[in-house]
Short mmCIF file of all heavy atoms in Angstrom, two decimals:
data_model
loop_
_atom_site.label_atom_id
_atom_site.label_comp_id
_atom_site.label_asym_id
_atom_site.label_seq_id
_atom_site.Cartn_x
_atom_site.Cartn_y
_atom_site.Cartn_z
N THR H 50 -81.85 -22.32 -50.24
CA THR H 50 -81.71 -22.58 -51.58
C THR H 50 -82.74 -23.66 -52.05
O THR H 50 -82.88 -24.69 -51.38
CB THR H 50 -80.38 -23.09 -51.99
OG1 THR H 50 -79.39 -22.10 -51.63
CG2 THR H 50 -80.25 -23.40 -53.49
N GLN H 51 -83.56 -23.29 -53.10
CA GLN H 51 -84.55 -24.27 -53.63
C GLN H 51 -83.87 -25.11 -54.84
O GLN H 51 -83.32 -24.57 -55.72
CB GLN H 51 -85.73 -23.45 -54.17
CG GLN H 51 -86.35 -22.56 -53.17
CD GLN H 51 -86.84 -23.18 -51.97
OE1 GLN H 51 -87.54 -24.28 -52.09
NE2 GLN H 51 -86.55 -22.66 -50.83
N VAL H 52 -83.93 -26.40 -54.70
CA VAL H 52 -83.28 -27.26 -55.66
C VAL H 52 -84.29 -27.90 -56.52
O VAL H 52 -85.18 -28.64 -56.03
CB VAL H 52 -82.44 -28.36 -54.92
CG1 VAL H 52 -81.67 -29.23 -55.87
CG2 VAL H 52 -81.43 -27.72 -53.95
N ARG H 53 -84.20 -27.68 -57.88
CA ARG H 53 -85.10 -28.22 -58.88
C ARG H 53 -84.32 -28.90 -59.99
O ARG H 53 -83.15 -28.45 -60.20
CB ARG H 53 -86.05 -27.21 -59.44
CG ARG H 53 -86.95 -26.50 -58.40
CD ARG H 53 -87.77 -25.47 -59.04
NE ARG H 53 -88.75 -24.76 -58.24
CZ ARG H 53 -88.50 -23.81 -57.42
NH1 ARG H 53 -87.26 -23.30 -57.33
NH2 ARG H 53 -89.44 -23.33 -56.61
N PRO H 54 -84.98 -29.74 -60.84
CA PRO H 54 -84.25 -30.17 -62.08
C PRO H 54 -84.29 -29.06 -63.06
O PRO H 54 -85.06 -28.04 -62.92
CB PRO H 54 -85.15 -31.35 -62.54
CG PRO H 54 -86.46 -31.06 -61.94
CD PRO H 54 -86.27 -30.42 -60.63
N GLU H 55 -83.48 -29.12 -64.09
CA GLU H 55 -83.35 -28.04 -65.08
C GLU H 55 -84.40 -28.12 -66.21
O GLU H 55 -84.59 -27.14 -66.93
CB GLU H 55 -82.00 -28.00 -65.68
CG GLU H 55 -80.93 -27.62 -64.66
CD GLU H 55 -79.52 -27.63 -65.27
OE1 GLU H 55 -79.49 -28.02 -66.52
OE2 GLU H 55 -78.57 -27.26 -64.58
N ARG H 56 -85.16 -29.24 -66.36
CA ARG H 56 -86.05 -29.39 -67.44
C ARG H 56 -87.37 -30.01 -66.88
O ARG H 56 -87.53 -30.34 -65.80
CB ARG H 56 -85.41 -30.26 -68.58
CG ARG H 56 -84.92 -31.58 -68.05
CD ARG H 56 -84.39 -32.47 -69.19
NE ARG H 56 -85.43 -32.83 -70.01
CZ ARG H 56 -85.19 -33.64 -71.13
NH1 ARG H 56 -83.98 -33.97 -71.51
NH2 ARG H 56 -86.24 -34.03 -71.87
N MET H 57 -88.36 -30.09 -67.83
CA MET H 57 -89.66 -30.46 -67.50
C MET H 57 -89.86 -31.96 -67.79
O MET H 57 -88.99 -32.66 -68.39
CB MET H 57 -90.71 -29.74 -68.35
CG MET H 57 -90.57 -28.20 -68.35
SD MET H 57 -91.25 -27.47 -66.78
CE MET H 57 -92.98 -27.72 -67.07
N GLY H 58 -90.97 -32.54 -67.26
CA GLY H 58 -91.39 -33.97 -67.62
C GLY H 58 -90.49 -35.03 -67.12
O GLY H 58 -90.32 -36.10 -67.79
N LEU H 59 -89.93 -34.86 -65.93
CA LEU H 59 -89.03 -35.86 -65.39
C LEU H 59 -89.76 -36.62 -64.30
O LEU H 59 -90.65 -36.11 -63.60
CB LEU H 59 -87.75 -35.27 -64.83
CG LEU H 59 -86.93 -34.47 -65.90
CD1 LEU H 59 -85.73 -33.89 -65.22
CD2 LEU H 59 -86.48 -35.32 -66.98
N LYS H 60 -89.43 -37.81 -64.00
CA LYS H 60 -90.02 -38.71 -63.01
C LYS H 60 -88.95 -39.09 -61.97
O LYS H 60 -87.86 -39.56 -62.30
CB LYS H 60 -90.69 -39.92 -63.55
CG LYS H 60 -91.51 -40.66 -62.52
CD LYS H 60 -92.14 -41.90 -63.20
CE LYS H 60 -93.30 -41.44 -63.96
NZ LYS H 60 -94.12 -42.69 -64.46
N VAL H 61 -89.27 -38.93 -60.74
CA VAL H 61 -88.29 -39.31 -59.69
C VAL H 61 -88.15 -40.86 -59.66
O VAL H 61 -89.14 -41.59 -59.48
CB VAL H 61 -88.79 -38.83 -58.24
CG1 VAL H 61 -87.81 -39.26 -57.19
CG2 VAL H 61 -88.93 -37.29 -58.26
N SER H 62 -86.90 -41.27 -59.74
CA SER H 62 -86.69 -42.70 -59.74
C SER H 62 -85.94 -43.17 -58.46
O SER H 62 -86.05 -44.29 -58.02
CB SER H 62 -85.85 -43.22 -60.90
OG SER H 62 -84.57 -42.46 -60.89
N GLU H 63 -85.24 -42.26 -57.77
CA GLU H 63 -84.53 -42.57 -56.55
C GLU H 63 -84.36 -41.28 -55.76
O GLU H 63 -83.95 -40.31 -56.26
CB GLU H 63 -83.09 -43.21 -56.88
CG GLU H 63 -82.39 -43.75 -55.66
CD GLU H 63 -81.13 -44.47 -56.11
OE1 GLU H 63 -80.76 -44.31 -57.29
OE2 GLU H 63 -80.51 -45.04 -55.20
N VAL H 64 -84.61 -41.43 -54.50
CA VAL H 64 -84.40 -40.28 -53.52
C VAL H 64 -83.30 -40.63 -52.63
O VAL H 64 -83.23 -41.68 -51.88
CB VAL H 64 -85.67 -40.08 -52.67
CG1 VAL H 64 -85.41 -38.95 -51.70
CG2 VAL H 64 -86.83 -39.78 -53.55
#
Side-chain angles (χ1 to χ4, degrees):
T50 299
Q51 306 299 312
V52 182
R53 300 177 175 84
E55 295 181 353
R56 53 179 291 181
M57 309 282 288
L59 305 178
K60 184 180 288 187
V61 178
S62 59
E63 188 177 6
V64 179

